[in-house]
Amino acid sequence: MKKFRYLLYKDYLLLRRDVAGLMLMFLMPSVLVILMTLLQQSTFHAITDASVPLLLVNNDQGELGRTIDKELGSSGIFRVDRQINGKTLSLEELEKEVASSRYTLGIYIPENTTIGIQRNVARYVLAAFSGEEVLPLLDSVGFTIFVDPTAKASFYTAIMSTLKERTQKIEFEYILKEISRQVKEISPIPISTEGISGQQVYIDIRDARLKGKNMIPTPVQHNVPAWSLFAVFFIVISLSGSIIRERQDGSFFRLLTMPCSYTDYLLSKAIVFTVVALIQFALIFLIGVFICPLLGLDSLHLGSSPFALVVLTFSSAVAAIGYGVAIGNIADTYHQSSVFGAISIVIMAAIGGVWIPTYIMSEPMKKIGMFSPMRWGLSGFMEVFLQDAGLKAVLPESGMMLLFGIVCFAIAVTFNYRRRLDV
Amino acid sequence: MFFYDLKTRLSVENKFIIETVDLKKTYKGKLHPTLNGLNLRIPYGSLFGLLAPNGAGKTTAINVICGLRKYDSGKVFIEGYDLSRDLKAIKPLLGLVPQDIALYPTLTAYENLKIFGGLYGIEKPLLEKRIDQLLELFDLSASRNSYINRFSGGMKRRVNMVAGMLHAPGILILDEPTVGVDAQSRMMILEKLIEINRAGTTILFISHYLEEAEHICTEVAFMDNGTIICQGHPGDLIDAHKPCGSLESIYLKLTGKRMRDTQ
C-alpha cells in the first residue's frame, strides 16, 4: 500500500504539471457547455418566437380570407405582412419576394374564394338532398402558397399541415351551415348548428415524466450532461498520452524493474483520472446550476436521486478511463493515440446524441448510436434529470458503461503483456 | 547501509551473483535465435563489462535478466534465486540504469528519486538520507529541486544512475552509461562506478567504448550471436590474444569488421 501511494503521487504530479492537458480537461468543456447551450437556446427562441416572416395577399373579400388572415396573425408563429410600401402585390410579385428569401412564406388568396367554396358546398348539399348519385360540377377554388426554397422540409411540412387544418375547418363550418339551411327549408322543426365544432376528438399532448413533475427538456438539460460526457471521454487524450510518454521516455521500463506490478501501475492512473473525471462532472454540473442562470439560461435540475447521479457519473468515468487505458496500450506513438482518440470520441459523441439529440436522428442513426458509450451515459442522465429517475432506472446504462470500461482494461492488460513479454 | 553489503553476501555458497545456463530466446517471427545458449557468469563484487556488437543480443539478455522478457529455455539465477520462480525476490536485488534517460522530465530530480525510492519500499527517513548522499556523491545537490527537462545531458545521466542505486542493489546494471556526455561527466561517472564497486556493489557495465571497459572493468565478456565467445580479466585477455594490444583489437578479431545493422 505504501508503494502504491508513491504511484498515486507520481500520477498526481505528472497530471498537475500537464498544463495543456488540464486546460483540455477543464477549460474546454466549460467553455463548450456554455457556448453550445447559448447557441441552442437562441435557436430555440428563433423557432418558438413569432418570427417566421409571412407575406399575405388576401384578395378574397369573404369570410375564408378574413379567417385565414386572423388565424395566421393570432397563431403566434408568424410575423404577417400584408403589403409592401403600401401596395398589395400580384401573384408574380409575391413569388419574387419569397424567392429572394425576404419572406419564408407567401400566401396568395384569389378573389371570390369564399364565394367559390360556398357555391361548391351548396351544390354538394343540394345534390345530396335531391338523391342524385352523380357528383355536381364544381368551380375550381384554392389559394397559392410560396415557400422559401431554403426552408427545411420539416418546417415546410409543419406549415402545410397547419394551413390545411385551418382551411378544412372553415370548409367544414360552411358545409354545416349549408346543411342546416337546407334542412330548415324542408323541416318544420327548427334546428341549430351553433356550437357544433369540428374538434370533437381531444388529443392530450404532454411531456413524458414521472411523479407529475413539471420539467421539460431545455438546451441546458441536454447540453450539460452531453458535454460533460464529451469532456470526460476527452480524458482519453491525456491518459493515453501519459501512458505512451512514460513508455517512450523509459520511465515505464524502469518501473517494471521495480517491485510494482503492471496492474498497480494502471490502477494508480485509473484512480487519479477517475478523480479528475468526477471533478469535471461536478464542475460542469455546477456551471449548469449556477452559471447558466446568470447568462439568461435555465438552471440545471439535477433530479431527485443523488445516488443514481453518483453511480451514473462513476460508471461514465470508468468507461472513459478504460477506453483511454486501452488506447494508451494499443497505440505505439502519442500522435497515433491523440489522433485516433480524438476522432473516435468525436464519432462516439456524434452518434451518441451529444451534438444533436437522438430523438431528431433518423432510425438507422439511432440504431448505430446504441453502440456509443456516450449514448448510454446520456440516456441515463436524461432519465435522472428529466424524469427524476432513481438508481434502478439507470442500472442498465451504468452496467453497460462499467462493462465497457472493464473490457477495455482487460484488452489493455492483455495487449501489454503480449507485447512487452513477447509471448 | 550506503552500498550493497558484499561481505554478508559472500558467505552464500554460489560464487556468481548472476548466472545464466544455456539461455535461449527467439522472437516471434524471427528465424534465428537472439539468445543462443547464453552462459553468462558474473562473479560477486566484480565490475563486469559485457561487450558486444549491435544485434548480438545483449539488450535481450539484460531484459531477460531483469524479468522484462520471457525466455524460451535455460535457467537464470540471481543471487541463487531462480528467475522463473522468484522474480519478486529478485527485483529488489537489481538496479537498472537504462541507456535512455528513464526519468520524468516534468518532475524535479528530488521528486523523481523520491518516487523511485518509494517504490522500492525504502522508509521515508532513510530514503531522504540516501537521496541526499547520492546527490552529493554525483555532485547534484544544488540541482535537487530543478526540473529534469532543464538538466544538461550529463546531469540527466547522473540522476539516471542515482535512480538505479537508491535501494543499494546487489548488482547495478548500466546500459551505455556514458553515451552522449562530455569528457568531464564521463570521467566523473567512471570514477564513481569504480568507487561504488569498491564499496561492494557488483556492476554489469555494457558499453561500446572498449577503452572504458579496459580501464575500469575487473572482468569482461565478449558476446556475439546470442552467446559468450570469450571471458576473462582484460589484462589476461590481452596477454592471451597477442599480438592484439587492446580489448578493441581482440573484439574486432573475434567479432569481425562486418557492420551489424539491426532493426
Side-chain angles (χ1 to χ4, degrees):
Chain A
M1 190 60 201
K2 200 186 284 176
K3 289 177 194 170
F4 189 69
R5 279 211 321 255
Y6 281 97
L7 280 175
L8 289 174
Y9 175 63
K10 175 216 34 143
D11 286 314
Y12 160 72
L13 282 181
L14 289 177
L15 185 71
R16 211 180 72 180
R17 303 275 158 81
D18 183 10
V19 178
L22 287 173
M23 298 264 279
L24 193 72
M25 285 187 282
F26 290 103
L27 195 62
M28 185 267 295
S30 305
V31 171
L32 266 179
V33 80
I34 292 171
L35 271 181
M36 295 305 290
T37 310
L38 282 170
L39 279 170
Q40 285 192 12
Q41 184 83 352
S42 55
T43 311
F44 182 74
H45 278 306
I47 292 166
T48 53
D49 290 353
S51 58
V52 178
L54 185 148
L55 185 57
L56 175 68
V57 177
N58 180 13
N59 289 328
D60 179 33
Q61 300 307 313
E63 203 178 342
L64 178 75
R66 275 198 301 278
T67 310
I68 287 178
D69 194 338
K70 190 181 158 194
E71 294 236 353
L72 289 173
S74 61
S75 68
I77 303 169
F78 306 105
R79 175 175 56 78
V80 184
D81 287 344
R82 291 163 187 87
Q83 293 177 324
I84 291 180
N85 300 327
K87 187 193 162 199
T88 304
L89 305 184
S90 66
L91 186 69
E92 291 74 22
E93 287 167 331
L94 177 67
E95 186 177 3
K96 272 185 196 171
E97 287 296 321
V98 178
S100 63
S101 293
R102 274 191 285 274
Y103 290 91
T104 308
L105 278 175
I107 300 179
Y108 185 86
I109 307 173
E111 287 175 0
N112 301 322
T113 306
T114 304
I115 293 169
I117 289 177
Q118 282 173 336
R119 204 178 287 146
N120 285 345
V121 168
R123 282 175 190 155
Y124 258 129
V125 174
L126 201 61
F129 277 87
S130 63
E132 286 178 19
E133 288 185 357
V134 183
L135 286 172
L137 203 64
L138 301 175
D139 291 345
S140 169
V141 182
F143 48 85
T144 310
I145 299 172
F146 294 107
V147 184
D148 181 354
T150 60
K152 284 190 176 176
S154 53
F155 174 76
Y156 171 84
T157 311
I159 294 298
M160 288 302 111
S161 302
T162 309
L163 287 171
K164 269 184 191 167
E165 185 198 330
R166 299 277 191 271
T167 49
Q168 275 171 357
K169 187 183 167 198
I170 292 160
E171 231 175 319
F172 170 77
E173 282 167 5
Y174 280 134
I175 291 169
L176 212 57
K177 270 186 193 169
E178 192 55 30
I179 291 173
S180 161
R181 196 179 62 77
Q182 294 282 346
V183 169
K184 267 182 194 169
E185 283 180 9
I186 56 171
S187 168
I189 306 160
I191 60 163
S192 170
T193 56
E194 291 297 317
I196 296 178
S197 149
Q199 288 180 323
Q200 296 301 310
V201 180
Y202 172 65
I203 302 169
D204 181 13
I205 302 172
R206 300 181 195 176
D207 296 305
R209 56 185 171 269
L210 297 175
K211 299 177 195 166
K213 292 263 179 180
N214 188 23
M215 177 62 71
I216 56 164
T218 64
V220 172
Q221 297 293 351
H222 169 74
N223 280 298
V224 171
W227 292 102
S228 305
L229 280 165
F230 185 74
V232 166
F233 269 83
F234 238 82
I235 276 185
V236 166
I237 310 287
S238 285
L239 175 56
S240 61
S242 157
I243 291 171
I244 289 168
R245 270 195 297 269
E246 277 187 68
R247 210 166 59 218
Q248 286 181 337
D249 67 25
S251 39
F252 171 69
F253 184 73
R254 189 193 285 281
L255 287 177
L256 292 176
T257 65
M258 295 180 169
C260 88
S261 71
Y262 184 68
T263 317
D264 289 343
Y265 166 80
L266 279 190
L267 200 60
S268 155
K269 285 215 177 294
I271 290 172
V272 169
F273 278 88
T274 300
V275 173
V276 170
L278 296 179
I279 295 172
Q280 277 182 309
F281 269 119
L283 175 76
I284 302 173
F285 287 171
L286 287 174
I287 288 174
V289 174
F290 296 110
I291 306 293
C292 285
L294 299 177
L295 300 169
L297 301 163
D298 301 305
S299 177
L300 178 70
H301 169 71
L302 291 173
S304 57
S305 173
F307 195 48
L309 193 58
V310 168
V311 169
L312 206 51
T313 307
F314 178 75
S315 46
S316 306
V318 169
I321 286 153
Y323 188 56
V325 166
I327 289 182
N329 276 277
I330 294 167
D332 285 325
T333 63
Y334 180 69
H335 182 72
Q336 271 181 11
S337 78
S338 57
V339 170
F340 178 78
I343 290 174
S344 61
I345 292 160
V346 167
I347 291 170
M348 274 189 207
I351 63 172
V354 169
W355 295 348
I356 307 161
T358 43
Y359 60 82
I360 60 168
M361 285 182 183
S362 64
E363 279 307 313
M365 282 312 296
K366 277 184 194 168
K367 282 181 185 161
I368 293 169
M370 297 303 286
F371 293 99
S372 167
M374 283 192 222
R375 172 81 186 90
W376 310 332
L378 194 53
S379 165
F381 280 119
M382 286 296 170
E383 285 178 53
V384 174
F385 291 169
L386 302 180
Q387 300 181 341
D388 283 340
L391 179 64
K392 203 176 165 189
V394 298
L395 277 180
E397 286 91 350
S398 300
M400 288 283 278
M401 287 191 291
L402 284 173
L403 186 67
F404 176 80
I406 291 165
V407 168
C408 285
F409 268 107
I411 290 171
V413 172
T414 310
F415 201 88
N416 173 71
Y417 181 76
R418 292 178 71 88
R419 175 160 65 182
R420 186 166 53 83
L421 294 175
D422 190 55
V423 289
Chain B
M1 184 178 62
F2 189 60
F3 291 116
Y4 183 72
D5 185 5
L6 185 62
K7 279 179 192 161
T8 313
R9 299 292 174 177
L10 281 175
S11 63
V12 179
E13 272 184 26
N14 197 335
K15 91 188 240 211
F16 302 110
I17 192 163
I18 293 179
E19 183 175 10
T20 70
V21 182
D22 204 21
L23 193 62
K24 287 184 180 169
K25 163 80 183 171
T26 305
Y27 284 102
K28 269 185 197 165
K30 299 273 181 183
L31 287 174
H32 302 290
T34 306
L35 299 181
N36 191 15
L38 181 72
N39 292 297
L40 179 67
R41 290 187 184 88
I42 302 176
Y44 274 97
S46 61
L47 205 167
F48 191 94
L50 184 62
L51 311 171
N54 292 331
K58 58 182 184 299
T59 303
T60 303
I62 298 304
N63 286 343
V64 167
I65 288 168
C66 294
L68 298 173
R69 289 255 183 233
K70 291 273 182 201
Y71 52 94
D72 302 333
S73 63
K75 284 280 180 191
V76 180
F77 298 100
I78 315 281
E79 285 210 25
Y81 290 110
D82 185 342
L83 182 73
S84 61
R85 290 200 314 259
D86 308 316
L87 181 62
K88 214 171 174 180
I90 287 171
K91 277 189 171 185
L93 303 173
L94 299 171
L96 180 68
V97 180
Q99 184 179 346
D100 296 322
I101 306 295
L103 300 167
Y104 294 104
T106 54
L107 307 190
T108 64
Y110 171 73
E111 286 166 345
N112 267 284
L113 297 175
K114 186 177 166 187
I115 289 163
F116 291 130
L119 287 172
Y120 275 112
I122 306 169
E123 292 296 326
K124 203 176 171 187
L126 179 63
L127 178 60
E128 294 284 342
K129 198 175 158 191
R130 282 197 64 79
I131 290 172
D132 288 341
Q133 284 171 335
L134 288 168
L135 286 177
E136 180 69 35
L137 182 72
F138 283 89
D139 200 16
L140 289 162
S141 296
S143 309
R144 63 179 272 145
N145 292 320
S146 301
Y147 293 108
I148 294 295
N149 55 16
R150 294 187 190 155
F151 278 24
S152 69
M155 288 166 83
K156 283 179 188 170
R157 285 254 162 243
R158 282 181 274 152
V159 182
N160 203 29
M161 283 180 66
V162 171
M165 297 164 57
L166 285 164
H167 59 297
I171 180 155
L172 188 61
I173 302 171
L174 299 119
D175 193 359
E176 305 278 0
T178 56
V179 79
V181 299
D182 59 26
Q184 287 82 359
S185 289
R186 195 171 148 209
M187 189 58 70
M188 184 199 192
I189 288 170
L190 296 178
E191 279 172 9
K192 297 301 171 192
L193 287 182
I194 294 169
E195 200 176 314
I196 294 161
N197 176 247
R198 282 183 184 154
T201 306
T202 306
I203 293 176
L204 172 55
F205 178 80
I206 299 152
S207 179
H208 281 118
Y209 300 123
L210 300 182
E211 72 280 14
E212 280 181 4
E214 191 176 324
H215 176 62
I216 67 164
C217 290
T218 56
E219 189 158 343
V220 295
F222 293 111
M223 183 178 175
D224 202 9
N225 298 319
T227 188
I228 302 293
I229 52 173
C230 181
Q231 183 170 339
H233 184 273
D236 296 344
L237 287 177
I238 291 167
D239 287 343
H241 288 84
K242 280 182 178 165
C244 296
S246 65
L247 283 184
E248 188 161 345
S249 309
I250 302 170
Y251 175 83
L252 289 172
K253 183 183 161 193
L254 294 174
T255 60
K257 292 183 178 175
R258 185 174 55 87
M259 299 286 277
R260 306 292 186 92
D261 296 330
T262 56
Q263 289 187 328

